[in-house]
Amino acid sequence: MKGFLKKVAACLLMGCLFCGCTTKAGEAKQAQPEEDELEIGMCFDSFVIERWEKDRDVFVSTASSLGATVNVQNANGDVTKQIEQIRYLIEKKVDCIVIIAIDAEALTDVVADAKKAGIPVVCYDRLIANVNADLYISFDNEKVGNMLGSAIVSSGAKKVIMICGPLTDKNVPMVNQGFTKLMNANNVEIIDTYNCEGWKAELGGAYVYDHMDVVRNADAIMCGNDDVATSVIKALAVAQLAGEIPVVGQDADLPACQHIVQGTQLMTVYKPVGKLAEEAAKLSVQLAQGQELDVTNKLSDGEYNIPYVTIEPVAVDKDNLDEVIIDGGFHSREDVYLNTLESTDSQ
């Protein structure tokens, strides 16, 4: 009898274990996209720059609300890895691929492969030339450069240094064009230009340390983004020049906003990434569904005229920072004024 009971108990235990495995397998299957559910691949350069996480979160949330899942890939600044990730998305037969390119020229072949596979390609914020992408959505980059230039001109500067991003980012020449036009029109001399490879912000600070004679001869410094500007300001602080030489940047990163209220950064260009990501998600879903986009504006990618959607940037300085950044919900007042409040409290 005891032997019989042991056998029954063993069978019941095996049954429970089997049921438990079935439940877990079922849950895993439900977590995967349904066969008829749209899947969008989104391949990021990296998340080193503060804003990209915001872009990701809004894009994923918007796409999800429209019935699409987003397969997010992060190349961590490695272009070879980004190519591998795009090939993976092609093999996975996703319905659309959204790319934040590390090196636009290096991605030409893999994007062509995606197009051959019938997968729509969206260039998000950075243009990939000569590939006939289905959409390029970004900010008006020449206008961004113009805004940076306007702040420099308003400061009274007559000599400026440009510490820019890498030329592999096709937005960089557009920003530089807008900036340079305004410098030329206002007789502001560009005494040196430097490009930070791979958007490595520390290279901006290193430039200041290594070219202090040039820096001391400059009236202002234009930085390709706020991450670079922060590195430059730290280097200027070491030479006791922070706040003496106006610095401008773009993206409205939190440190940049803090520097503006402290007086060590003159201005930043706020790019409403929420609007960009939301609009990009909506249009990407339409492309994934096989719809034709209702976009009349076109831009030459060098060989083809492709649909081009722009979101308007906003110049931000100490006069409108509260209204645009804080009231707009981009950063909190406590965060923006953190260092100022700490300084006040310590007195």
Side-chain angles (χ1 to χ4, degrees):
M1 183 67 177
K2 288 182 179 179
F4 173 76
L5 291 174
K6 284 182 179 179
K7 288 181 180 179
V8 171
C11 288
L12 288 171
L13 180 60
M14 289 179 67
C16 289
L17 291 172
F18 179 75
C19 290
C21 290
T22 303
T23 302
K24 288 181 180 177
E27 289 172 354
K29 186 175 181 181
Q30 289 173 3
Q32 296 173 355
E34 299 291 337
E35 287 187 8
D36 59 348
E37 188 175 26
L38 295 174
E39 183 176 12
I40 296 171
M42 191 174 196
C43 193
F44 279 87
D45 169 345
S46 72
F47 291 122
V48 172
I49 296 175
E50 179 185 304
R51 60 160 285 199
W52 291 128
E53 291 188 12
K54 297 186 181 195
D55 290 73
R56 176 199 62 197
D57 293 345
V58 174
F59 187 99
V60 170
S61 175
T62 303
S64 178
S65 72
L66 297 172
T69 61
V70 183
N71 188 326
V72 177
Q73 301 288 315
N74 175 16
N76 287 313
D78 185 337
V79 69
T80 301
K81 187 174 182 179
Q82 186 165 52
I83 292 170
E84 291 173 356
Q85 289 174 344
I86 296 170
R87 292 204 184 283
Y88 157 74
L89 294 171
I90 294 171
E91 291 169 5
K92 206 170 184 298
K93 298 180 179 178
V94 298
D95 299 290
C96 180
I97 300 177
V98 181
I99 303 171
I100 298 90
I102 298 171
D103 182 338
E105 293 180 6
L107 299 183
T108 301
D109 290 343
V110 72
V111 171
D113 290 342
K115 296 283 290 179
K116 287 176 186 175
I119 301 174
V121 173
V122 174
C123 296
Y124 187 96
D125 201 42
R126 296 174 180 173
L127 180 65
I128 303 173
N130 306 318
V131 294
N132 197 22
D134 297 88
L135 173 67
Y136 169 46
I137 181 165
S138 184
F139 298 95
D140 186 333
N141 292 296
E142 188 167 335
K143 189 169 185 177
V144 169
N146 189 273
M147 288 176 169
L148 295 171
S150 292
I152 296 292
V153 171
S154 297
S155 75
K158 291 301 179 184
K159 295 181 179 180
V160 63
I161 296 170
M162 296 175 65
I163 304 180
C164 314
L167 294 176
T168 51
D169 181 341
K170 295 303 179 184
N171 286 356
V172 171
M174 297 181 194
V175 172
N176 291 355
Q177 183 177 3
F179 182 81
T180 303
K181 277 183 180 178
L182 209 61
M183 296 302 97
N184 292 339
N186 289 275
N187 297 317
V188 178
E189 182 186 359
I190 299 170
I191 60 176
D192 200 10
T193 301
Y194 177 76
N195 295 92
C196 296
E197 180 185 351
W199 279 113
K200 295 174 183 175
E202 63 271 19
L203 295 179
Y207 172 90
V208 174
Y209 289 126
D210 296 340
H211 299 82
M212 190 55 69
D213 55 336
V214 181
V215 171
R216 290 185 184 278
N217 193 37
D219 300 316
I221 301 175
M222 175 275 220
C223 295
N225 68 12
D226 285 337
D227 206 18
V228 173
T230 292
S231 182
V232 165
I233 289 168
K234 287 178 180 177
L236 289 174
V238 172
Q240 297 184 329
L241 292 173
E244 298 296 320
I245 299 178
V247 175
V248 298
Q250 63 169 312
D251 289 342
D253 287 352
L254 178 58
C257 294
Q258 293 172 335
H259 290 147
I260 288 173
V261 300
Q262 291 174 295
T264 52
Q265 183 163 333
L266 179 62
M267 63 83 70
T268 184
V269 178
Y270 166 59
K271 301 188 295 188
V273 296
K275 290 182 181 179
L276 179 73
E278 184 177 353
E279 187 65 17
K282 290 177 181 177
L283 295 172
S284 296
V285 169
Q286 290 178 26
L287 287 170
Q289 292 170 334
Q291 297 183 34
E292 186 174 337
L293 300 182
D294 183 19
V295 176
T296 55
N297 195 22
K298 304 286 184 181
L299 177 80
S300 173
D301 72 352
E303 188 173 348
Y304 306 93
N305 288 322
I306 62 173
Y308 178 39
V309 173
T310 59
I311 306 296
E312 285 295 303
V314 182
V316 174
D317 58 20
K318 60 183 177 60
D319 294 327
N320 67 343
L321 185 145
D322 284 12
E323 177 186 355
V324 176
I325 301 300
I326 296 172
D327 295 346
F330 194 66
H331 295 306
S332 71
R333 176 175 295 276
E334 291 76 16
D335 287 341
V336 169
Y337 285 90
L338 177 64
N339 297 329
T340 307
L341 292 172
E342 287 180 349
S343 176
T344 303
D345 292 342
S346 65
Q347 292 177 358

